[in-house]
Each structure stands twice: as C-alpha cells, then as structure tokens.
Amino acid sequence: MFWGTLLLGFILIGAAIYTIVPDLFLHRWGIGSWRRQFSPGVTLTFDDGPDPMITPRLLETLKRHKISATFFVIAEKAAQYPELIQQMAEEGHQIGVHSFSHRYAWFTSPRKTVQEWTDSVRVLEQILGQKITWMRPPWGTFNLVTWLWLKRHHMRAVLWNVEGHDWEVRRSPEVIASRIMKKVNEGSIVVMHDSGGESGAPENTLAALDLLAERIPRDLKLPFVPLDFPDWSFGQRLTFRIWEKWEHYYAKTHHVDRVNETNIFRLEKTVYDGPKLYSEDGRLLAQKGDPAAEIHMDNIRLQAKGRDVQKTALKALRQARISMPDLARYIAHNPRYSEVKVFVGETLLYRGVKGFGFTVQDLPDTWKSKGIALLQMMIMRIYHPAGKDRQNERLGNKTKLVWISREKLLSYAAADLKSGKGIVRDANS
C-alpha cells in the first residue's frame, strides 16, 4: 500500500512538472512567452489556417483596410495550400507556426512533441525559404518538452491578451467586436481564427474583422501594427508595464485626449497656474486661473527600436512635424478647447521646440518642477534607446515652460490645408 501510494505520488508530481508547471509559467503568467507587445498599437493574429474558402477573403479584407497581421498556421494545412502561405508573405503579413496537426500539449508524448514542432517548422521554411522564429501552441498550452524545444531552437512563444471567442458560431460579429473593443489597448495582441472552430463561425470572424478595422482607429485612436518585440529583459518589461499602468491611470483621471491613432501629442484641458504669458505684440494671453491646455507627449509612440540615438531623435522630429497639423485641426474643430488661448508644457526636452513656434521660459525651482523633472528622467530611462546608460549633459535636470499661442498653433492647420495635404477630421470621432 505504501509503495503504491508513493509511486502514485511520483507519477502525479511528474505529470504536473510535464504539464501544469510549464503551462502556468508560459501560458497563465506569461513568463518565458510574449502575451503582449510594447508598442503603441494593436496587432491582429489569426490561428488554425490556412483555409482555401476563408483565408483568401480574410486577406482581401486586410488589404482593403491596409492592415498587416500575423498568421500562426497549421503546417499540415500549409503543406496542402502553400500558395496561400506565399500570398500571406507577399502581401506583407508575418507568419508563425501553430504546430503540425493541432495536438493538445498535455496529452502529447515528449517524442511526439519534438516531432510535431520540428516537422512544422521544416514545412513552413521550405515553403517560404526563410527562417521561422515565432510559435504559438494550440490553445496556448505548453508541456515541458514544448518549452525545452523552443529554448533549444531559439523560438519565441507568442500568445495573446485579447480574444473574442470567434470560434463559437453563436458569437455574432457585433458580439465578437464588442468583446475585443472592451479589452484592447496599446500593445494588445488579438487572437482570431481563419479556420477551425464551429461550422459557420469563420463567416462571423470575417464580418467582425471589418467592424474592428473601422472602430479601433476611430473610437480608440489606436493604430494597427505588426508584431515587433524589443530585446528587453524581464525586468525591463516589468518596469515598462508598471509605468504604463500609471500613464493609463493619469490619462483616465485627467481626461487626457488622444488626437488620432498616430499623433504623438495628447491634450489635457486644465487651469493655467504659471507666470503671465504675452504675445509678441504685448497682448496678455494667459494668467493664473485662465483656461489652458497641456500638451503631453504620447511616450510609447516615440519608443525607440534600436540604440542609435541620432536616428531616434530624427524620427521624433519627423513625427512631430507630421503631428502638428493634425493637432491644430483637432483643436480648431473641438469645442472643448475653443476658449483656450495658450497650449503649454513643462519639459526637459525643450531644445528644438522653437522651430515649431513654441516659446521657452524658465520656471522657478520648486518641488513641483523637481518632481516633474524626476518623472521625465524616469520616462527617458524607459523609452530612450540607451536606457539607463543614457548620457547627455546638455539635457540638464531642470524643466522649462514651453508654450504656443492658439493663433500660432492653428497656423499649422491653415498651412497644411493650403498645401493640399490637410484633411479635416471630426474632433469628436
């Protein structure tokens, strides 16, 4: 009896180590896998294809909306329809592997697990002629050998953090889209399906995709972006997530507005609490107690992908030039800012802003300004390409007040419209 119980205990412990433990870490907790991105947008991913009836129609929908998605495909199906895999790649979509035959990891032996993943990668690489580096296990479920295999082959396990249960036929397109819209945010990885599931479900997926392609940029002001993961340690990812939570909280409680899905500026309606501001001809534009608006940088949209500081700075300037006319049009057509005469910011990054029409003024050295400077240095440590190794003596550690008058800001919209580039957008959309 004792030895039987002991043997059963060893069997249960071994089964847990093979199934539950790796699944908890990689699937449930996202340790050792990627359940989200660190980007300003939303990524659409599709599992279980390709399907000759559904996938071509889905690709056409993505092309119509100019969305680059990621397909995690079943290698067995890919071998049957290689032309669909090639079409995905030719149209700019990314491709990962979703196993060879969609087996559940917990009930797959170690030998069969290795064979499943090795064969699946081999099939896809033969079709595409390029290396496959991303994998997603069926149902997002791992066993110990799955984890060991992906570590040995330097594969990235890519999961998701938003789903609409589109594999269930009872989920209408509206229900699928609404479920996804409630949870999606910057960095979201959305999982949908271009095959598998219940009979008739893919038709709902196609219709839901049309709804999401319109609503996510329009209502949430988020762009669609391809999968792209930074070369960050777990500690860096954790630090970013904590800071991101704070930014979301601040934006929600202070009603910070996004301009559109790509603009690097955000606006906060506030009451001015600084020194008197005068126009060039001596007119008083703002004094303490007047309505004003603070311009915030949407930091995640300036996030650097490499460690080249000069390229990062040039990219930021380019994004600012593109964003200014849209910011001006947003202000011109949004009644919330109709009484605001000045738009202000307190920042360490004041060099170069005069070229955009801003005035730069010194501020008193107060606890508030010191706190803002400290916060901004923390932000740069997270977002700057050199991270904590950033060294820039010119930057200093004191913030300055930068501001621009309403008239000067609106001149961006007028100039853009005169050049024929401007498109007036509904400020409340």
Side-chain angles (χ1 to χ4, degrees):
M1 182 68 178
F2 169 77
W3 292 108
T5 304
L6 187 62
L7 178 61
L8 178 62
F10 277 122
I11 292 172
L12 291 176
I13 291 171
I17 292 172
Y18 186 70
T19 58
I20 297 173
V21 173
D23 198 61
L24 277 176
F25 277 85
L26 288 109
H27 183 190
R28 305 298 173 185
W29 299 336
I31 300 174
S33 65
W34 297 81
R35 296 184 60 188
R36 57 151 295 147
Q37 292 201 95
F38 296 84
S39 75
V42 179
T43 294
L44 297 180
T45 67
F46 297 91
D47 288 1
D48 296 353
D51 182 291
M53 301 300 294
I54 300 298
T55 304
R57 294 166 61 194
L58 190 144
L59 288 171
E60 180 58 37
T61 302
L62 292 171
K63 183 188 290 186
R64 188 170 70 251
H65 291 287
K66 299 180 181 178
I67 297 173
S68 176
T70 304
F71 289 83
F72 288 93
V73 300
I74 304 296
E76 193 173 45
K77 294 181 180 179
Q80 291 179 287
Y81 310 108
E83 69 282 356
L84 289 177
I85 304 299
Q86 291 168 349
Q87 183 182 350
M88 292 172 187
E90 289 168 0
E91 294 183 3
H93 302 293
Q94 299 163 309
I95 298 169
V97 64
H98 196 45
S99 82
F100 190 83
S101 57
H102 210 269
R103 291 173 177 265
Y104 196 83
W106 285 15
F107 307 125
T108 306
S109 69
R111 180 175 176 276
K112 190 62 180 176
T113 297
V114 172
Q115 184 182 347
E116 273 274 315
W117 290 105
T118 303
D119 288 350
S120 62
V121 170
R122 175 181 52 78
V123 167
L124 282 180
E125 289 184 346
Q126 285 178 351
I127 293 171
L128 292 169
Q130 63 187 47
K131 187 170 177 59
I132 299 295
T133 58
W134 294 340
M135 60 86 75
R136 173 180 288 169
W139 298 283
T141 302
F142 296 81
N143 63 36
L144 181 61
V145 175
T146 314
W147 177 75
L148 292 173
W149 179 89
L150 72 90
K151 293 294 287 183
R152 179 181 176 185
H153 293 274
H154 307 288
M155 300 282 286
R156 270 183 167 162
V158 181
L159 301 181
W160 63 89
N161 58 0
V162 180
E163 58 185 331
H165 289 198
D166 63 318
W167 65 86
E168 298 176 314
V169 70
R170 66 187 178 91
R171 307 275 182 181
S172 69
E174 182 62 45
V175 168
I176 295 168
S178 296
R179 183 184 178 95
I180 290 172
M181 289 287 291
K182 287 177 183 176
K183 297 181 179 180
V184 82
N185 213 321
E186 298 109 325
S188 289
I189 300 175
V190 180
V191 62
M192 300 176 77
H193 299 78
D194 61 321
S195 186
E198 298 173 358
S199 178
E203 292 292 336
N204 292 336
T205 299
L206 287 168
L209 177 58
D210 260 325
L211 296 175
L212 291 169
E214 294 175 2
R215 293 179 185 177
I216 288 176
R218 183 192 68 199
D219 299 345
L220 302 180
K221 297 179 181 176
L222 293 170
F224 289 103
V225 296
L227 279 179
D228 189 11
F229 299 109
D231 187 20
W232 285 358
S233 66
F234 179 76
Q236 287 174 297
R237 291 158 65 180
L238 182 61
T239 302
F240 178 93
R241 291 289 285 132
I242 294 170
W243 178 258
E244 185 183 51
K245 291 287 186 184
W246 160 251
E247 285 201 323
H248 287 171
Y249 170 78
Y250 184 91
K252 184 176 181 180
T253 56
H254 288 74
H255 306 288
V256 180
D257 300 332
R258 282 196 180 100
V259 174
N260 58 38
E261 69 273 21
T262 57
N263 204 285
I264 65 169
F265 299 117
R266 295 188 294 173
L267 285 172
E268 176 189 350
K269 180 76 178 289
T270 186
V271 175
Y272 185 62
D273 190 32
K276 291 181 179 180
L277 302 178
Y278 294 90
S279 66
E280 293 175 353
D281 59 5
R283 289 180 294 116
L284 178 65
L285 296 178
Q287 59 184 335
K288 188 173 182 178
D290 285 348
E294 289 187 15
I295 298 178
H296 297 268
M297 300 293 282
D298 203 345
N299 297 303
I300 194 170
R301 295 184 180 184
L302 288 171
Q303 181 180 314
K305 297 299 181 184
R307 296 180 66 85
D308 190 319
V309 177
Q310 187 173 7
K311 285 185 179 179
T312 300
L314 289 173
K315 179 184 175 183
L317 284 172
R318 195 160 50 241
Q319 287 180 284
R321 290 192 184 98
I322 294 170
S323 294
M324 286 294 285
D326 274 346
L327 174 65
R329 285 191 293 275
Y330 181 81
I331 290 166
H333 294 85
N334 193 324
R336 188 176 183 211
Y337 300 98
S338 60
E339 297 179 358
V340 174
K341 295 181 179 179
V342 292
F343 296 83
V344 302
E346 190 171 334
T347 181
L348 293 169
L349 302 173
Y350 52 82
R351 297 183 185 278
V353 300
K354 291 182 179 180
F356 293 95
F358 285 86
T359 299
V360 179
Q361 292 184 199
D362 290 326
L363 284 169
D365 194 13
T366 64
W367 284 109
K368 179 183 176 182
S369 65
K370 289 178 180 178
I372 292 173
L374 180 61
L375 280 173
Q376 292 188 3
M377 284 188 279
M378 288 173 60
I379 293 171
M380 280 184 277
R381 181 166 177 168
I382 295 170
Y383 290 102
H384 195 277
K388 66 181 180 181
D389 299 324
R390 177 190 61 82
Q391 293 181 352
N392 189 345
E393 295 178 358
R394 294 181 63 211
L395 187 63
N397 57 9
K398 291 182 66 173
T399 60
K400 291 196 177 186
L401 178 70
V402 300
W403 62 273
I404 188 170
S405 68
R406 180 184 183 88
E407 291 80 8
K408 197 170 282 189
L409 184 53
L410 292 184
S411 69
Y412 275 93
D416 207 45
L417 286 171
K418 188 176 181 180
S419 69
K421 298 177 182 177
I423 300 174
V424 176
R425 297 175 177 169
D426 181 359
N428 297 310
S429 66

